[in-house]
């Protein structure tokens, strides 16, 4: 397993993109809108893992709610796994609470599913596979 990406909630991509471009000496930035999650994403490759800046595209986006409650900052940790369905089943059998019983579509064409922070020490964990 490895960290696929860290999701960072921001009210607006513009200024923060410039900050991370500078910090990371980045030239190539992948941007994408993910309608299923009501976010616009800017992602930076960092040694094979990514930093993903997440901007809400509507007031009822989960990211908008997060920003309201906690302000900008790290929103979730995404782990790359071989088979999301198999991992969900394994964790559910072990008593973990799942946000998603069935994987959904994420950025970069990944299959993703979230584990409930109540089962992970307060961290929103995303599992993803190709
Ligand atoms: Co993510």
């Amino acid at each position: 397993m490895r960290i696929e990406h860290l999701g960072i909630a921001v009210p607006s991509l513009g200024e923060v993109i410039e900050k991370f471009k500078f910090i990371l000496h980045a030239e190539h930035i992948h941007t994408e809108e993910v309608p299923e999650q009501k976010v616009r994403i800017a992602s930076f490759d960092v040694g094979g893992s990514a930093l993903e800046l997440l901007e809400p595209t509507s007031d009822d986006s989960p990211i908008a709610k997060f920003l309201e409650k906690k302000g900008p900052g790290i929103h979730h940790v995404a782990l790359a796994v071989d088979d999301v369905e198999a991992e969900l089943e394994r964790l559910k059998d072990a008593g973990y609470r799942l946000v998603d019983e069935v994987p959904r579509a994420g950025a970069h064409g990944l299959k993703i599913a979230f584990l409930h922070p109540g089962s992970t020490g307060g961290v929103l964990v995303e599992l993803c596979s190709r």
Side-chain angles (χ1 to χ4, degrees):
M1 246 184 237
R2 65 180 181 87
I3 292 181
E4 211 286 330
H5 62 269
L6 288 181
I8 299 169
V10 299
S12 137
L13 290 178
E15 201 182 315
V16 191
I17 284 182
E18 294 310 313
K19 286 193 162 59
F20 276 94
K21 255 180 153 173
F22 190 77
I23 293 168
L24 297 167
H25 301 260
E27 282 170 18
H28 301 287
I29 299 139
H30 172 85
T31 56
E32 180 175 348
E33 189 162 334
V34 183
E36 290 87 353
Q37 294 171 67
K38 298 177 180 168
V39 290
R40 194 169 297 115
I41 288 175
S43 82
F44 298 85
D45 178 68
V46 186
S49 299
L51 285 185
E52 276 190 4
L53 305 176
L54 310 166
E55 173 195 77
T57 53
S58 96
D59 288 345
D60 63 343
S61 160
I63 296 301
K65 287 174 190 154
F66 178 90
L67 287 167
E68 226 170 80
K69 262 201 228 165
K70 301 194 171 169
I74 293 180
H75 176 260
H76 66 272
V77 176
L79 302 172
V81 299
D82 289 336
D83 182 341
V84 175
E85 279 98 345
E87 290 299 330
L88 287 177
E89 200 178 315
R90 186 177 72 89
L91 291 162
K92 194 180 177 183
D93 287 350
Y96 284 73
R97 281 171 70 191
L98 310 179
V99 174
D100 301 299
E101 300 269 333
V102 180
R104 46 187 159 129
H108 310 279
L110 293 172
K111 256 194 218 178
I112 68 165
F114 286 96
L115 309 180
H116 196 281
S119 285
T120 60
V123 180
L124 181 61
V125 174
E126 174 185 343
L127 302 176
C128 47
S129 67
R130 306 234 157 245

